Amino acid sequence: MITVIGYDGSPLPAEARALLEEAALVVGGARHLAAVPVPDAARRVVLGDVTAALDEIDAAGAETNVVVVASGDPGFFGIVRALRERGHRPRVLPALSSVARAFARAGLPWDDALVVSAHGRESRRAVNACRAHPKVAVLTAPGFGPAELARELFPQTPRTFVVCENLGEPDERVVHVRPAEATTRPWRDPNVVLVLDPFRSVGAKGWIAGTPPGPATWALPEEAFDHRDSMVTKAEVRAFALARLGPRVGDMVWDVGAGSGSVAIECARFGAAVVAVERDAASCERIRANVRAHGVKVAVSRGEAPHVLEHLPDPDAVFVGGGGPEVVRACASRALRSVVVALAAVERVRPTLDALTAEGLSAQAVQLQANRFSPLPGDVHRLAATNPVFVVWGDREPSPVPPARDDRTGRRPQTIAELPDDSDTRSAQ
């Protein structure tokens, strides 16, 4: 029999103590094994290498009383999942989760919070979630704690950190700090970081916990965006582009040659972190106004592509509204998943396909044209044709190995804050 006991620093309940007394094998982190009453006759296994510990549990056999001691609620980003994947059906006695305790220490509700884990997972997705959402709890990991998280966010994303160390333990510490200060301080493991937009730390009352559902509608009409001389991606093209881009929580999306920012805003409405790249100053201001009107989070980077792209975080997906094959290839070299390009001229399709395939993407193209109903006198209608648009897209085969970094530090800059001084990159909200 396997029992998983959650430990949060509080005295164990009688049921947990009784199960420990009967245990022949006790598995847990070193600090947990030192904190709970493990019987002298029981064999101890320190939970460092999870696979090795699970092998020990498997070898113990079904007749052995095994107790696993884990932090907080072990069913929440915890050991219960790994045990179930091994075919075990553990009995679970949870304690208060570290996330619940962290928000309690901050005095905040957390049904509207996004909870992400960087422990044994790709940290960039956790960072992107913090860029896009106003209230995120980050379960950190050795090598990616408050300082590393703050370096990715500061100064581009205005946030307040609540760093909660050793929650429930006698040396518990809760520190409210700005990201700039968090980058320079030493922090103790384990910790949980609450990343808060100081102006939206208490969200609207909702019906679902965590990330709200995606937008009820998308491919908004052109009238939903302020634009110059009809320089806005048409709704039908936007609908197809969004289907190919697949924006979602944890993604970073670039909208290059953003114009009015319509594609960037639509991607942000799906929960992705988004950067709109535009060289024209007046267009940048127009994008910011549209972002404010739609109540989303989009960073605006003013600069000339492809040069300005070098200083942006690696994108999962990119929409290119202009710039030519050189820009397309620069985007494709960085994109982790897909690139979508909208073109007005058929002569540009072949060079764009070549630019995508040269960077290892599988490329395709389609022509889109919509004929919209337009009223005429006498309660009749005609078909009003929109200009045909060629959409070229490329997808990258999933790779278990992240692309190599190539700047002088051995990694590509991952924060928008690393733009050169002549760039005008700041949040529109």
Side-chain angles (χ1 to χ4, degrees):
M1 182 182 73
I2 300 174
T3 302
V4 184
I5 296 175
Y7 179 72
D8 61 7
S10 304
L12 292 179
E15 183 182 12
R17 291 198 306 272
L19 289 165
L20 266 171
E21 289 173 1
E22 298 172 0
L25 173 64
V26 180
V27 180
R31 66 189 182 92
H32 294 136
L33 295 180
V36 301
V38 179
D40 294 336
R43 189 161 64 91
R44 301 179 181 218
V45 172
V46 177
L47 188 57
D49 183 335
V50 175
T51 300
L54 291 171
D55 289 343
E56 293 271 7
I57 293 171
D58 291 344
E63 302 303 317
T64 304
N65 287 331
V66 178
V67 171
V68 181
V69 185
S71 296
D73 182 350
F76 187 72
F77 288 107
I79 193 69
V80 171
R81 180 181 302 278
L83 289 168
R84 295 288 299 199
E85 288 172 349
R86 289 286 187 110
H88 300 294
R89 299 179 65 85
R91 180 182 184 183
V92 182
L93 303 179
L96 187 64
S97 76
S98 58
V99 175
R101 192 181 290 271
F103 277 107
R105 294 292 186 266
L108 288 171
W110 65 288
D111 51 276
D112 58 337
L114 187 64
V115 182
V116 300
S117 176
H119 199 95
R121 297 164 176 85
E122 193 180 8
S123 60
R124 60 178 295 275
R125 301 196 68 81
V127 173
N128 287 336
C130 294
R131 288 178 173 130
H133 295 271
K135 184 190 290 187
V136 183
V138 182
L139 302 173
T140 62
F144 189 81
E148 290 79 10
L149 177 60
R151 290 187 191 108
E152 300 288 357
L153 296 176
F154 176 78
Q156 170 58 32
T157 307
R159 292 291 186 265
T160 297
F161 279 18
V162 182
V163 181
C164 304
E165 301 173 320
N166 292 342
L167 285 169
E169 302 287 350
D171 59 346
E172 172 183 296
R173 184 171 67 165
V174 177
V175 182
H176 295 249
V177 64
R178 294 287 185 183
E181 184 181 351
T183 62
T184 63
R185 294 180 60 162
W187 301 101
R188 296 175 295 176
D189 290 324
N191 59 67
V192 177
V193 183
L194 306 184
V195 183
L196 308 173
D197 182 333
F199 303 105
R200 295 189 293 167
S201 60
V202 178
K205 183 178 179 180
W207 64 274
I208 185 171
T211 309
T217 60
W218 52 91
L220 300 173
E222 293 90 87
E223 294 76 19
F225 307 96
D226 181 27
H227 52 84
R228 176 177 60 86
D229 300 329
S230 298
M231 296 294 290
V232 59
T233 305
K234 298 298 186 284
E236 294 84 0
V237 175
R238 234 179 303 123
F240 185 85
L242 288 167
R244 302 310 315 175
L245 293 168
R248 55 187 174 174
V249 174
D251 280 353
M252 167 59 69
V253 180
W254 296 350
D255 181 3
V256 180
S260 66
S262 62
V263 173
I265 289 166
E266 295 254 34
C267 289
R269 294 173 73 231
F270 280 95
V274 184
V275 181
V277 179
E278 176 57 56
R279 64 184 179 182
D280 178 67
S283 294
C284 287
E285 291 305 318
R286 188 174 293 110
I287 292 169
R288 293 186 181 103
N290 283 329
V291 167
R292 288 191 292 269
H294 286 275
V296 293
K297 179 79 175 176
V298 173
V300 180
S301 178
R302 182 168 68 85
E304 191 80 31
H307 169 70
V308 72
L309 306 177
E310 280 296 315
H311 306 280
L312 300 182
D314 285 339
D316 294 274
V318 184
F319 179 79
V320 183
E326 182 187 9
V327 171
V328 172
R329 185 160 184 177
C331 293
S333 71
R334 298 280 302 281
L336 302 175
R337 188 173 69 237
S338 59
V339 177
V340 179
V341 187
L343 303 167
V346 66
E347 289 82 3
R348 296 181 180 176
V349 172
R350 182 74 261 169
T352 301
L353 287 166
D354 292 342
L356 294 173
T357 55
E359 294 298 331
L361 280 69
S362 59
Q364 301 180 63
V366 69
Q367 178 196 321
L368 299 180
Q369 182 177 9
N371 295 306
R372 297 176 176 177
F373 265 36
S374 179
L376 291 172
D379 196 26
V380 294
H381 292 78
R382 70 180 181 90
L383 292 178
T386 61
N387 289 331
V389 175
F390 301 94
V391 180
V392 184
W393 72 95
D395 297 318
R396 189 181 304 283
E397 290 296 323
S399 171
V401 181
R405 314 301 184 184
D406 61 5
D407 71 353
R408 67 180 185 275
T409 65
R411 68 174 185 90
R412 228 183 245 284
Q414 286 298 291
T415 63
I416 303 168
E418 292 176 287
L419 284 166
D421 293 340
D422 60 350
S423 298
D424 175 26
T425 297
R426 60 184 186 272
S427 169
Q429 224 186 356

